[in-house]
Amino acid sequence: MKSIEILKAHDADVAYIESRIEAYNNNLVPPVPTEYLAACIKENDEIVGEVMAEIHFGNVLFIDILWVHEKCRGKGYATALMNHIENLGMTQGCKLSHVSTYEFQALGLYEKLGYTVFGYMDDVPLEYKDYYMQKKLTARNAVDASIKIHQPTEEELEDFSIGLQEYNKSKLRFDCIPMSIGFNRCIKVGDEVVGGILAYAFWNMAVVEALWVKEEFRNKGYGTALLNAAESIAKENNRTIIYFETFNPQMKRLCEKLGYTVYGVMDDYPEGHRRYYMCKKLTADAIS
């Protein structure tokens, strides 16, 4: 493969890459704006439980944050929050719900609520497992009237993830965790961006958010060069695994050629499409 120069993507380059990816995806799936849902439980004006979710493609509820204060666990608060957010999702057309949870978080709770594991990654984060779970939303959940659910204010939303972050810190050796970084790269012909990759790293992981190559430059090694560049940066920053999600079969085939494996599959995400969850361990001989 001929040498392909990989450049740092500046803000204007990133915005262009994002617009091209959005246009490409909109040709595959009709565009539906992401909806954001949130709810909380308060005691004496203090938030002691919270849930935040997103509705993707109009049919899938993604649980982003679920947290209950230690002093309030065992009271059914987490179940009440989940029942509430699932009910909200169903009123807006959601047919599926999914979540990822580390093994030290809420795996048992989600199983009790009817979620099943469809994939997992080892050593994410560090020596733990990251479980991916899903549930079909078929009927409204019963409401526990004794637990009052509130809509958080905008100010409260700003601090919504703090409780979960502190809980994670109590379980992880943060002195062993490298600093989070973002890294975006592109390929240019003249001044035109003809390919790009958007990625970031946290804990011991690197995540590919998006990969795009202009149509007339596909099958020329540009996608491979961009992925290899992202892997190299991840390794230089002491990351041990790289992963991403895609419902594009072409992207899946490219990454399988580069040593990525499918660790989970979710049907109808978006509706009529299959979403593949793929990862690759970054060992000494992982970069070609």
Side-chain angles (χ1 to χ4, degrees), residues 55-250:
I55 298 178
H56 296 166
F57 302 104
N59 74 306
V60 177
L61 182 71
F62 170 67
I63 308 300
D64 189 21
I65 295 172
L66 177 65
W67 170 80
V68 173
H69 196 290
E70 186 177 5
K71 66 183 179 182
C72 296
R73 291 170 195 161
K75 295 183 178 182
Y77 286 11
T79 297
L81 287 166
M82 285 297 297
N83 286 344
H84 177 79
I85 212 74
E86 287 178 2
N87 286 345
L88 282 180
M90 282 186 279
T91 63
Q92 298 195 44
C94 290
K95 299 177 182 178
L96 293 168
S97 179
H98 91 102
V99 65
S100 72
T101 186
Y102 303 131
E103 65 176 282
F104 58 80
Q105 292 180 328
L107 177 66
L109 169 69
Y110 290 120
E111 288 176 329
K112 289 179 181 178
L113 295 176
Y115 286 76
T116 58
V117 175
F118 66 88
Y120 69 90
M121 282 191 289
D122 283 316
D123 302 321
V124 176
L126 303 178
E127 71 271 20
Y128 294 100
K129 287 182 171 65
D130 185 7
Y131 290 96
Y132 283 66
M133 310 182 77
Q134 65 178 331
K135 176 184 178 179
K136 288 187 177 181
L137 301 177
T138 57
R140 297 289 296 274
N141 298 305
V143 175
D144 186 344
S146 68
I147 300 176
K148 302 300 181 184
I149 306 292
H150 301 271
Q151 175 66 32
T153 65
E154 291 296 325
E155 289 182 353
E156 290 169 340
L157 280 173
E158 292 179 3
D159 297 328
F160 229 49
S161 64
I162 291 177
L164 182 59
Q165 290 174 4
E166 292 302 314
Y167 177 78
N168 289 340
K169 286 181 180 180
S170 72
K171 299 294 183 179
L172 297 170
R173 303 191 317 275
F174 266 67
D175 58 329
C176 299
I177 297 172
M179 183 181 299
S180 298
I181 58 168
F183 50 98
N184 305 315
R185 296 294 183 269
C186 66
I187 300 170
K188 291 185 178 181
V189 174
D191 292 329
E192 181 188 11
V193 174
V194 299
I197 190 166
L198 311 181
Y200 67 96
F202 67 103
W203 293 346
N204 61 308
M205 303 164 278
V207 184
V208 176
E209 292 187 289
L211 173 68
W212 169 79
V213 175
K214 192 174 182 180
E215 187 171 3
E216 55 262 44
F217 292 91
R218 292 170 194 165
N219 300 313
K220 295 184 177 180
Y222 285 25
T224 296
L226 288 164
L227 276 168
N228 283 343
E231 291 175 18
S232 294
I233 296 168
K235 283 193 60 176
E236 289 166 4
N237 287 275
N238 301 314
R239 314 302 159 147
T240 58
I241 191 168
I242 188 166
Y243 72 100
F244 70 98
E245 308 168 17
T246 184
F247 61 89
N248 184 338
Q250 291 178 321

